Amino acid sequence: MTYICIFANPHPTLTPSSDYGGDRSFACRAALLRRHAEIADYRCIQALLANGTSFIDELYALGRAYEPTVAYCIAGEAGLLFEDVPADVRVVLPFAPDFITLRRIGHTVVLTSEDNTLIYMAPTLSDLAVIKRHLPGSPDIAARLRITTPFALDEFLLSSHEAALVDRAIRMVEMTSSEHSARVVATGTQGMVIGFVASSSLFMAVLNPALLCQLLHFVFSIFFSACILVRLLARINIGAVRVPPWRTLPSSGSLGYSVLVALYHEADVVPQLVNAMKELNWPRSKLQVLFLCEEDDSETIAALQAEMFPAGFRIIRIPSSGPRTKPKALNYGLQLAKGDYVVVYDAEDRPHPEQLQEAWWHFAKGGATLGCLQAPLILANGHVGWLTRLFAFEYAAHFGGVLPWLARNRLVLSLGGSSNHFRRSCLEAVGGWDPFNVTEDAELGTRLARCGFQVDMLSTPTIEDAPVGLGVWLRQRTRWLKGWMQTWLVEMRRPIRLVNQLGIPRFTVYQLLSIGMIVSALLYPLMLVFVANSAFYFTFADMAAMRPNLFIIDLLNILTGYVSFHALGRRALDGEKTPGPVPLWIPIYWFMISAAAWRALWQLHATPFLWEKKPHQPSTTAPSAPGCALDKFGP
């Protein structure tokens, strides 16, 4: 990259065509004005060469406190005025009315209270070269041009377009493709089909209950058995693919990374969260971290304001309108994201410091169709109690077994709610997240597949904490299952189109897993009742009254379900000792999942958009078994 020389060149050996001559001259001027010579030292020169940035970017990356000084230097060199954007002005730029366009062109035209038209901008080094070359011949424009800081410009644009941003956040999916929105739980056609199936089942239950029982057993056993088969296949394939040696490659900061963290009533975990974000290994000049807070969540906002933020860390207040859900907050933040890549973290997350680097490596090697990468989630408090133990065991089976198998076979992968890395262009192409879907991650994974984008897995994990209380666990699992029901209804609005977009093999596996997960959760207690009833007749009553074929099918499904779940979890843990008798707790754990499924089915009818949030507390435990070592999934 070639830069022009901004000031009189104090170094005879540096010419205007030198690789960083202009940057070094600018740095010397900035250092004198700031009285801190370290601003322009050789470390920043190294950073701009390594990161593909300019010295202006690196100076801004030193911290928010340096921004006015840097902007003042730019204004002084260009012969322009430096000032913040006044609060009493309004945007008047008819050819670029939306926030995204305004932010990307790097300036805005405003009308003051005195009816003066002014142009505020935060120029880059190349912008400054254009200004110096053309401004002397345009005195009228020079009189109207003002230099401000990037932060001040962004804040003004954000406040000026707040209503438009929140409206777009709510309607983003619908603007891309209305059929993918869960705003309508079930279409009229779907309602007719559901009503027909329900009434037909009711009539058959009256006319021929034995036939209905056999038919339902046969149909539901297919989906239950499909889940078992996937677990067994996933267990066989664990460790089949060698993790690529991405750490041997240099990182590239020439591409920006935006981190989105949606927060609501999370003041307690703010210090832990901010520290985790600070530890991410990515060039500061190319890292943007947005803390997305509801505007009435004063405690969380105050806790964030008390932290010492690096440059690029910002608090974003989201207006309280529309569905107050995490996906709406993420859509709001997506419109503010500057990075080429976007990653989503939860409030309690502690991602591996090298996770962004590994994701970049995969994106660089995977091509334009690689739209998303899912990092494995493992739990730090899996040893605290029986509930967290089972939750951690389930996470190990899911993120260490099922998802890698689906990704390896290019099948539809339901994302986890955290540590999703996106190529931003792909995320914007599919319309972001659905604010009306309470399990937005699973729906987005399906939509990416439908649009032709690939989803793959990372090896560097993110550490989380499992819910300790039974009530918290039940509410969280209810929301997940309700969201999966929403997602299936949305995807099945046009089944023929879904088959064409996914292909028959992927469509078949998607249906078997989606329906199998929901059906098995709902009918698990009924299967236990039927098996117990059949066993009673076998032992104490007339054997002719029992149905041995159905008894054998249900018994095999239940037993192989237990075995496959335990075998996959043990294999995913790779020999780590599991504290406590996990196999003995599996039947009870599945019964709890069933209770959450029936609760989710009722909420789907009564309160489909209710978001039952999981509260978070600062972690007091170090990562430990089961499946909680930081380098567990590392290369």
Side-chain angles (χ1 to χ4, degrees):
M1 182 179 295
T2 302
Y3 300 115
I4 65 166
C5 187
I6 302 178
F7 304 106
N9 191 349
H11 302 284
T13 58
L14 291 176
T15 66
S17 61
S18 298
D19 282 344
Y20 51 83
D23 278 333
R24 176 168 290 180
S25 301
F26 177 84
C28 293
R29 177 71 173 271
L32 291 175
L33 289 175
R34 186 63 185 167
R35 303 190 311 274
H36 290 294
E38 68 271 14
I39 294 180
D41 65 10
Y42 188 67
R43 290 182 293 106
C44 287
I45 296 289
Q46 288 179 313
L48 74 91
L49 294 177
N51 300 335
T53 59
S54 72
F55 213 102
I56 291 178
D57 297 327
E58 296 302 327
L59 288 175
Y60 278 136
L62 291 176
R64 188 73 44 75
Y66 293 107
E67 283 195 5
T69 299
V70 177
Y72 182 76
C73 290
I74 296 173
E77 175 60 22
L80 298 171
L81 293 178
F82 162 75
E83 65 180 31
D84 288 331
V85 185
D88 59 346
V89 299
R90 57 189 178 91
V91 176
V92 284
L93 195 59
F95 60 88
D98 63 281
F99 172 83
I100 297 176
T101 305
L102 286 170
R103 178 175 56 77
R104 288 177 180 172
I105 64 176
H107 66 268
T108 186
V109 179
V110 304
L111 185 66
T112 69
S113 57
E114 294 82 15
D115 292 333
N116 293 324
T117 303
L118 301 177
I119 305 171
Y120 285 86
M121 67 181 305
T124 63
L125 195 62
S126 58
D127 294 333
L128 187 56
V130 174
I131 292 172
K132 287 175 64 64
R133 185 165 57 248
H134 297 289
L135 205 60
S138 306
D140 183 63
I141 295 179
R144 299 177 184 276
L145 195 59
R146 301 289 187 271
I147 303 300
T148 189
T149 66
F151 179 80
L153 185 61
D154 282 352
E155 285 290 298
F156 170 73
L157 291 175
L158 179 57
S159 62
S160 302
H161 294 78
E162 189 175 80
L165 285 170
V166 73
D167 179 68
R168 183 182 174 90
I170 295 171
R171 300 189 302 110
M172 192 176 292
V173 171
E174 295 175 270
M175 289 189 297
T176 305
S177 178
S178 59
E179 69 179 73
H180 290 145
S181 173
R183 185 194 288 264
V184 177
V185 177
T187 63
T189 302
Q190 287 178 323
M192 291 175 58
V193 172
I194 294 172
F196 175 77
V197 172
S199 60
S200 299
S201 300
L202 183 61
F203 277 115
M204 188 175 290
V206 175
L207 299 176
N208 195 339
L211 178 60
L212 177 64
C213 184
Q214 292 183 13
L215 181 62
L216 292 178
H217 268 77
F218 175 74
V219 173
F220 293 150
S221 292
I222 293 176
F223 295 105
F224 199 90
S225 300
C227 294
I228 295 171
L229 180 61
V230 167
R231 293 192 196 104
L232 295 176
L233 292 174
R235 185 190 183 281
I236 294 172
N237 286 275
I238 287 180
V241 177
R242 180 175 176 269
V243 176
W246 57 269
R247 282 178 176 162
T248 62
L249 297 180
S251 66
S252 172
S254 59
L255 297 176
Y257 230 115
S258 294
V259 180
L260 305 182
V261 187
L263 303 166
Y264 189 57
H265 295 322
E266 302 286 10
D268 292 340
V269 298
V270 161
Q272 173 183 282
L273 171 65
V274 174
N275 288 334
M277 297 301 102
K278 288 179 180 179
E279 292 176 0
L280 291 173
N281 186 7
W282 197 259
R284 290 299 173 199
S285 58
K286 289 296 181 178
L287 180 63
Q288 178 191 35
V289 180
L290 301 181
F291 300 103
L292 310 172
C293 304
E294 296 289 335
E295 64 179 357
D296 60 355
D297 188 7
S298 57
E299 292 184 0
T300 303
I301 293 174
L304 287 167
Q305 290 173 334
E307 295 292 320
M308 296 294 294
F309 279 172
F313 284 45
R314 291 187 60 188
I315 304 169
I316 305 298
R317 295 169 175 83
I318 301 173
S320 302
S321 61
R324 294 174 66 113
T325 59
K326 174 183 172 183
K328 188 200 80 174
L330 295 178
N331 280 345
Y332 194 92
L334 178 60
Q335 299 174 82
L336 311 179
K338 299 179 180 180
D340 302 271
Y341 305 121
V342 175
V343 60
V344 175
Y345 291 122
D346 280 343
E348 87 275 25
D349 285 354
R350 286 91 74 195
H352 193 291
E354 306 296 328
Q355 196 176 102
L356 304 190
Q357 301 236 14
E358 185 193 4
W360 166 82
W361 189 91
H362 281 279
F363 280 126
K365 297 294 182 182
T369 59
L370 180 58
C372 178
L373 293 163
Q374 170 70 64
L377 306 180
I378 56 180
L379 302 176
N381 63 339
H383 59 288
V384 171
W386 67 272
L387 182 59
T388 60
R389 184 180 305 129
L390 286 163
F391 199 90
F393 194 85
E394 183 183 20
Y395 256 42
H398 186 65
F399 288 99
V402 174
L403 292 189
W405 180 80
L406 292 173
R408 194 172 302 134
N409 290 279
R410 299 296 182 258
L411 299 170
V412 178
L413 191 149
S414 297
L415 301 175
S418 171
S419 303
N420 314 136
H421 297 252
F422 300 94
R423 197 186 302 272
R424 195 186 73 192
S425 58
C426 298
L427 183 57
E428 291 176 338
V430 301
W433 294 268
D434 182 3
F436 295 95
N437 192 310
V438 297
T439 311
E440 79 294 338
D441 43 359
E443 187 277 332
L444 181 54
T446 308
R447 186 151 34 99
L448 285 167
R450 295 187 65 168
C451 294
F453 295 113
Q454 176 190 339
V455 180
D456 213 334
M457 293 291 295
L458 297 175
S459 63
T460 46
T462 294
I463 304 300
E464 288 189 343
D465 291 301
V468 178
L470 182 58
V472 175
W473 179 94
L474 180 63
R475 290 189 291 273
Q476 182 188 60
R477 187 56 59 102
T478 297
R479 177 170 57 81
W480 289 357
L481 288 165
K482 180 172 64 174
W484 284 324
M485 295 173 189
Q486 283 180 311
T487 299
W488 187 82
L489 288 171
V490 167
E491 304 303 336
M492 289 301 292
R493 288 174 180 173
R494 296 190 179 182
I496 303 300
R497 177 177 292 185
L498 183 61
V499 173
N500 293 333
Q501 291 175 330
L502 295 181
I504 294 177
R506 292 204 298 171
F507 174 83
T508 302
V509 175
Y510 171 74
Q511 294 297 329
L512 290 173
L513 287 180
S514 298
I515 301 177
M517 175 180 57
I518 297 170
V519 166
S520 60
L522 290 171
L523 298 184
Y524 172 70
L526 302 181
M527 295 174 66
L528 290 180
V529 170
F530 182 83
V531 168
N533 183 64
S534 299
F536 173 82
Y537 274 98
F538 181 80
T539 306
F540 300 105
D542 184 7
M543 291 183 58
M546 68 173 290
R547 302 179 181 89
N549 56 334
L550 300 183
F551 170 74
I552 293 173
I553 290 174
D554 283 354
L555 186 61
L556 286 177
N557 275 333
I558 292 173
L559 293 179
T560 53
Y562 293 156
V563 171
S564 63
F565 177 76
H566 186 260
L568 177 59
R570 291 291 299 173
R571 182 69 179 86
L573 292 173
D574 196 22
E576 288 188 19
K577 183 179 179 181
T578 306
V582 167
L584 300 180
W585 285 104
I586 291 177
I588 299 175
Y589 191 65
W590 283 15
F591 190 83
M592 292 163 50
I593 293 175
S594 183
W598 284 102
R599 189 168 179 264
L601 188 62
W602 168 252
Q603 283 194 6
L604 186 65
H605 165 71
T607 54
F609 311 128
L610 174 64
W611 188 282
E612 293 187 297
K613 182 185 171 297
K614 167 191 169 186
H616 301 117
Q617 295 295 329
S619 179
T620 58
T621 57
S624 58
C628 299
L630 259 177
D631 58 354
K632 166 87 180 70
F633 292 93

